[in-house]
Amino acid sequence: MNASDKLIDSTLAPQEVSLDVLREKYAKGEEREIADVRARVARALARLEPEPRRAELEARFLWAQEQGFVPAGRINSAAGLGLRATLINCFVQPVGDAISGHDGQLPGIYTALLEAAETMRRGGGVGYDFSAIRPLGSKVHGTASRASGPVSYMEVFDASCRTVESAGARRGAQMGVLRVDHPDIERFIAAKDGGALTNFNISVGVTDAFMRAVEDDAAFALVHRAEPGDEDQATGAFRREDGLWVYREARARELWERIMLSTYDHAEPGVLFVDRMNRENNLWYCEELRATNPCGEQPLPAYGCCDLGSLNLTAFVQQPFSAGAAFDFARMREVAAVAVRMLDLVLDATEWPLPQQAAESRAKRRVGLGFLGLGSALVMLGLRYDAEEGRALAARIAEELRDAAYAASVELAREKGTFPLFDAERYLQGQFVQRLPHELREAIRAHGIRNSHLLSIAPTGTISLAFADNASNGIEPPYSWTYQRRKRTADGGSRSYEVADHAWRLYRQLGHDIEREGLPPQFVTALEMRAGDHLRMVQAVQPFIDTAISKTVNVPEDYPYEDFRDLYLEAWRAGLKGLATYRPNSVLGSVLSAGPAAASAPQASAPAGAPDDDPLVKRFEHRPLGELESVTSKIEYSTQEGRKSAYLTVSFIRAEGRWQGRQVEIERPFEFFMPGNQRTGGHQWITASMRLLSMVARAGGPIAKALADMREVVWEKGPVRCGFLTREDGVQVPVYHDSEVAAIAFMLQRLLIRRGFLDAMGNQVPVDELARRLEAREGAAPPPAQPQPPTPSGALPAVSGAKCPECGARALRKVDGCTRCDECHYVGECG
């Protein structure tokens, strides 16, 4: 059988959440299914080909998508619709030191701000290098004043992004970069500590010279071309022979420690190894790379863009979960070749926000073909993500993808011509190009190449949900096999979905009883592996990717700082171009609703499609009634009828039962009580609700689900304020819910979270973890592996994220390159 005749063996019905995301974000007009979107994209791109081949290529483009090619979100959402929105996900745009006009070749600050606003209005995210802006306190000779520094102007860009978003545009994404030798680098590192710059990811541009100074514990000069203020000159600032001013010297290791501590506590800043980015750049001879797009997978020059698409690796797994499981490399290479042609056409099909972006694209024709679903595909093949065998296969996939993409671009050059800035001799001298097979390099010498760059591994959260049945995100391993995602509905309420990983669903579909058998060893999640194993996966794949990889090293909350502090140093020594990390903590929270045990293999046992069933608790028998242990919390909330206060009481009982072959004991709620005057209509529903919750609890029913349903109740009397979010800067932000019922359910959730019965997202903690917590509490043992910080009565955990478009909570964070909400688990824009 020819590779082109093989069809994907997909027997899984789409998850409800996948269909909803598809229809909300990508399907337009009368479109309802994936096939409708694919047909529109194929038709729109084929229209740009010569007339005699359009029908043939349209069919070929549709075939490639059916076989596993997933164009990036902007392409799926806008191609063929005649919109004035860009098909390109992300850009890098320059910022100079002048207030307006231009600073040499760079646009002034407010000129750059206007350009960025136009780009975001059309749907693109933007990365910037702010290093040209003069430091705080330096001289501004034209006005005889002092500069306010780059961080102050980043706040202006942050506000502009927020304003563009509020006007109805796609949620903006921004990356702010500052070189490690900029005199304001300490302010930049701490810029987000107080909850500012919520529309930015930030990264430090680190040089090899600085990293060598870290290794040697040497001094490192902080420099800029702008003249320092008199105070800095009085304390030793001086001008070097190269014309740069040395503001002061810092101990490199101390500065590095600041970066590591901030990253450990707040997941930012990330680190970009700018010298390696430039050494590995195919266009080393005609451009300089100083920043990346917001998710970090594309180091780009001024006005550069990333034109993205991914191959769904799970689509190429044959006979999954069997002794004959294999990866279809031949079909992957064939699909990759078609995908390169499609991405090249996107550059001609798109609407460019700025003429400079159009010119930059035409001169170099960058594209970024990558993959998604690596973690899920390895599971289907019986390989662990954190084992050498998994890394070896990932490296081979990347190598085969590289060779197929470069060969396809050579063929396009023979047909359509090379990119205009192609210089065969210098291009072939590039470090990455020199690693290509000899026959490919000779083909490039003879025929040229259509695209300067071809490969990029981007985050793919939303398109993975909509087009790949929630296969794992980009290069990442699965974060959890199942989790709950809550979203707003058209009537202002909300609903919950169970979202399951593709490999997990398929394993169950093939007849495996997960609850009885557990999961085989290859089912390993992000938090179950060592941080070094995340890094080694990138190290295995990066040599075959000509731009970069968006990768987040997820570590558990209790991951020791002494082990964490060397991760980025190891990444530099391993030859990576950058890295980001994420550690759940009391400031950032946990991204998904899977608790510490739910993320591990044996506990992923709730049947997909049956979220109301809770066999983990129902099978437990409670002890004979005696004295119940109770917890009471005073609550205060405000409605249109005025300010109210009350006491919530939850009583707990011990329950015993067998779990995974052993006898365990847990504590679970038995009764809910909120006193009130039953003669008033306003309190009759309180009494009824508490009685119904008590009945659910005594029957061993799903308490977490019952409270989640209560939080979906909406009334016509207006929102209810039920507390405050305390930001890092100490400012208290009020929290609103859609009804008094929803507010009380929220506060009951918080009480049960503090007790340890629910996890941080209000979902049921698995039985073995409940048993362990009870044992730890009775034996005065150390706290649980992932404890919930105690919350004072009437207060809520500190939150400082951006506003979620689904639930309204200030809980949006960037994880694995995607926007995710800590509160409702909304997955936003990626890449």
Side-chain angles (χ1 to χ4, degrees):
M1 180 182 292
N2 186 279
S4 64
D5 296 328
K6 296 178 181 177
L7 297 177
I8 300 172
D9 182 19
S10 176
T11 58
L12 290 176
Q15 300 185 66
E16 186 178 6
V17 67
S18 298
L19 288 174
D20 280 3
V21 170
L22 174 80
R23 291 164 184 171
E24 289 176 8
K25 288 183 171 289
Y26 303 114
K28 308 297 180 180
E30 299 300 316
E31 297 172 351
R32 302 296 296 166
E33 309 296 335
I34 290 177
D36 301 327
V37 179
R38 288 171 173 165
R40 168 170 51 80
V41 171
R43 186 167 55 251
L45 298 181
R47 196 176 298 149
L48 299 169
E49 296 281 9
E51 177 64 41
R53 296 195 63 193
R54 284 181 188 171
E56 169 203 345
L57 288 173
E58 181 178 337
R60 193 69 170 155
F61 295 167
L62 181 58
W63 171 86
Q65 293 176 85
E66 292 169 344
Q67 296 297 302
F69 175 51
V70 185
R74 299 302 306 158
I75 301 171
N76 279 311
S77 65
L81 295 176
L83 302 175
R84 299 198 64 191
T86 179
L87 306 185
I88 307 300
N89 277 53
C90 297
F91 302 82
V92 161
Q93 294 182 204
V95 184
D97 190 41
I99 289 292
S100 59
H102 280 75
D103 170 24
Q105 298 297 314
L106 302 177
I109 295 168
Y110 283 92
T111 303
L113 181 70
L114 177 63
E115 292 177 348
E118 179 62 18
T119 300
M120 285 186 284
R121 184 178 74 86
R122 300 289 185 89
V126 186
Y128 322 83
D129 174 24
F130 290 101
S131 303
I133 300 178
R134 65 189 63 201
L136 176 68
S138 59
K139 292 183 177 180
V140 183
H141 291 287
T143 57
S145 60
R146 295 289 182 267
S148 59
V151 174
S152 67
Y153 286 109
M154 289 178 68
E155 294 171 355
V156 177
F157 281 76
D158 188 67
S160 175
C161 179
R162 184 165 55 250
T163 302
V164 171
E165 176 191 347
S166 69
R170 169 181 179 258
R171 173 173 169 74
Q174 299 184 112
M175 168 70 83
V177 177
L178 199 71
R179 282 178 59 95
V180 73
D181 56 5
H182 192 286
D184 282 4
I185 188 62
E186 292 97 340
R187 293 183 182 87
F188 179 79
I189 293 167
K192 299 188 72 172
D193 289 359
L197 302 181
T198 54
N199 294 288
F200 266 105
N201 297 332
I202 63 172
S203 288
V204 177
V206 173
T207 63
D208 287 347
F210 174 77
M211 295 305 298
R212 288 191 290 268
V214 171
E215 289 186 314
D216 298 339
D217 194 17
F220 185 76
L222 304 181
V223 302
H224 203 273
R225 64 189 176 102
E227 182 180 358
D230 293 335
E231 300 83 356
D232 286 323
Q233 294 191 45
T235 57
F238 66 95
R239 194 169 195 174
R240 295 192 314 206
E241 291 183 359
D242 62 3
L244 294 179
W245 287 88
V246 177
Y247 279 61
R248 66 187 184 282
E249 288 190 337
R251 302 299 303 180
R253 195 168 288 178
E254 292 177 4
L255 183 55
W256 184 246
E257 188 78 357
R258 286 196 184 198
I259 296 172
M260 292 300 98
L261 283 168
S262 179
T263 302
Y264 183 76
D265 289 337
H266 308 303
E268 289 192 88
V271 168
L272 304 177
F273 299 117
V274 292
D275 288 339
R276 182 160 291 119
M277 281 164 35
N278 281 288
R279 280 198 306 273
E280 287 276 314
N281 183 13
N282 288 355
L283 294 181
W284 59 272
Y285 57 88
C286 63
E287 67 181 24
E288 183 178 0
L289 305 174
R290 298 176 179 174
T292 72
N293 71 310
C295 296
E297 75 274 8
Q298 277 275 353
L300 294 166
Y303 299 110
C305 73
C306 41
D307 171 15
L308 301 173
S310 302
L311 301 187
N312 174 12
L313 298 184
T314 67
F316 304 100
V317 177
Q318 300 172 317
Q319 302 179 51
F321 300 111
S322 73
F327 192 86
D328 191 342
F329 285 99
R331 183 156 52 87
M332 185 195 75
R333 289 191 297 268
E334 191 173 356
V335 175
V338 182
V340 167
R341 188 180 194 103
M342 294 174 70
L343 291 178
D344 184 69
L345 288 167
V346 167
L347 298 173
D348 301 318
T350 190
E351 179 84 18
W352 293 100
L354 303 173
Q356 300 96 315
Q357 296 160 349
E360 168 69 21
S361 169
R362 283 194 296 267
K364 302 167 184 175
R365 302 196 71 83
R366 261 183 176 87
V367 302
L369 178 62
F371 54 69
L372 63 86
L374 175 65
S376 299
L378 292 177
V379 169
M380 294 160 64
L381 290 162
L383 301 175
R384 284 180 67 97
Y385 188 98
D386 58 350
E388 183 56 39
E389 295 80 5
R391 292 190 288 270
L393 181 63
R396 186 184 170 197
I397 289 171
E399 183 177 17
E400 297 267 4
L401 178 62
R402 177 200 67 182
D403 294 351
Y406 270 77
S409 190
V410 170
E411 289 303 308
L412 279 177
R414 297 180 67 177
E415 177 185 340
K416 299 183 177 184
T418 66
F419 68 91
L421 289 182
F422 176 70
D423 181 316
E425 290 305 316
R426 291 195 284 179
Y427 188 83
L428 288 166
Q429 291 172 19
Q431 289 191 11
F432 181 87
V433 176
Q434 287 182 357
R435 294 198 297 271
L436 293 175
H438 174 75
E439 59 273 16
L440 266 179
R441 286 185 279 115
E442 289 306 305
I444 292 171
R445 188 185 304 278
H447 307 293
I449 194 165
R450 178 69 170 171
N451 313 96
S452 68
H453 300 73
L454 284 141
L455 303 159
S456 181
I457 302 181
T460 58
T462 311
I463 60 173
S464 288
L465 264 176
F467 295 95
D469 187 48
N470 197 38
S472 53
N473 173 13
I475 196 175
E476 305 289 349
Y479 193 91
S480 176
W481 303 118
T482 64
Y483 65 92
Q484 293 291 320
R485 180 186 177 191
R486 190 168 62 254
K487 70 179 295 293
R488 284 188 177 272
T489 54
D491 61 0
S494 63
R495 61 168 301 179
S496 294
Y497 299 89
E498 182 177 75
V499 184
D501 174 79
H502 173 76
W504 186 87
R505 290 186 74 217
L506 183 59
Y507 188 72
R508 290 184 66 251
Q509 172 104 352
L510 293 174
H512 297 279
D513 186 341
I514 293 174
E515 183 178 348
R516 182 173 58 84
E517 303 171 2
L519 292 170
Q522 73 263 30
F523 279 85
V524 57
T525 60
L527 293 182
E528 292 177 313
M529 61 186 72
R530 295 170 299 178
D533 291 319
H534 287 269
L535 189 150
R536 279 187 281 276
M537 179 59 82
V538 185
Q539 185 179 4
V541 172
Q542 181 65 77
F544 307 104
I545 303 299
D546 56 20
T547 58
I549 300 169
S550 178
K551 177 74 178 82
T552 300
V553 176
N554 287 283
V555 297
E557 182 179 353
D558 59 354
Y559 196 80
Y561 177 68
E562 291 305 312
D563 295 338
F564 179 91
R565 69 192 305 174
D566 291 330
L567 278 176
Y568 286 73
L569 186 60
E570 292 174 18
W572 176 67
R573 290 170 176 163
L576 306 190
K577 297 179 181 179
L579 197 66
T581 56
Y582 185 86
R583 182 183 70 91
N585 55 68
S586 59
V587 175
L588 297 176
S590 179
V591 179
L592 298 180
S593 62
S600 61
Q603 281 73 40
S605 55
D612 292 338
D613 187 21
D614 195 1
L616 306 184
V617 177
K618 284 182 178 178
R619 66 179 64 178
F620 278 68
E621 300 292 336
H622 61 72
R623 293 176 175 176
L625 289 177
E627 292 185 358
L628 299 179
E629 185 174 349
S630 301
V631 176
T632 300
S633 177
K634 182 180 180 180
I635 62 170
E636 294 183 347
Y637 57 98
S638 300
T639 71
Q640 289 187 345
E641 299 168 350
R643 189 173 182 83
K644 301 183 180 182
S645 64
Y647 290 89
L648 288 174
T649 298
V650 181
S651 298
F652 294 86
I653 195 168
R654 302 295 175 86
E656 296 176 342
R658 294 191 64 80
W659 172 247
Q660 294 188 344
R662 66 185 183 96
Q663 191 75 13
V664 296
E665 181 178 353
I666 64 172
E667 177 189 82
R668 49 185 298 270
F670 187 78
E671 185 175 65
F672 292 81
F673 180 66
M674 180 176 172
N677 182 357
Q678 297 188 33
R679 295 179 182 177
T680 66
H683 281 91
Q684 288 178 3
W685 67 262
I686 292 177
T687 301
S689 297
M690 296 303 108
R691 288 179 178 175
L692 287 171
L693 280 175
S694 298
M695 289 176 63
V696 172
R698 291 170 186 171
I703 298 169
K705 181 64 167 59
L707 291 173
D709 288 345
M710 286 178 66
R711 289 189 62 180
E712 296 180 6
V713 175
V714 181
W715 66 4
E716 73 284 354
K717 299 180 182 179
V720 175
R721 189 169 74 184
C722 64
F724 292 87
L725 297 175
T726 304
R727 299 191 327 207
E728 280 292 286
D729 57 5
V731 176
Q732 289 190 319
V733 182
V735 176
Y736 292 92
H737 285 273
D738 292 324
S739 70
E740 198 169 349
V741 180
I744 289 174
F746 172 77
M747 290 180 280
L748 282 171
Q749 279 184 337
R750 291 295 163 185
L751 189 152
L752 294 179
I753 288 169
R754 293 197 294 272
R755 187 71 179 185
F757 182 74
L758 302 181
D759 67 17
M761 295 296 107
N763 296 293
Q764 176 66 64
V765 171
V767 166
D768 57 346
E769 178 64 12
L770 289 175
R772 195 182 70 80
R773 292 182 179 187
L774 181 59
E775 292 169 2
R777 190 161 68 240
E778 291 191 336
Q786 291 193 356
Q788 300 306 320
T791 305
S793 177
L796 296 172
V799 175
S800 59
K803 185 177 180 181
C804 175
E806 289 285 2
C807 70
R810 293 279 177 183
L812 278 183
R813 317 229 176 258
K814 278 284 188 178
V815 180
D816 294 349
C818 294
T819 305
R820 296 179 184 268
C821 176
D822 295 353
E823 183 65 23
C824 71
H825 313 139
Y826 161 79
V827 180
E829 301 297 342
C830 302

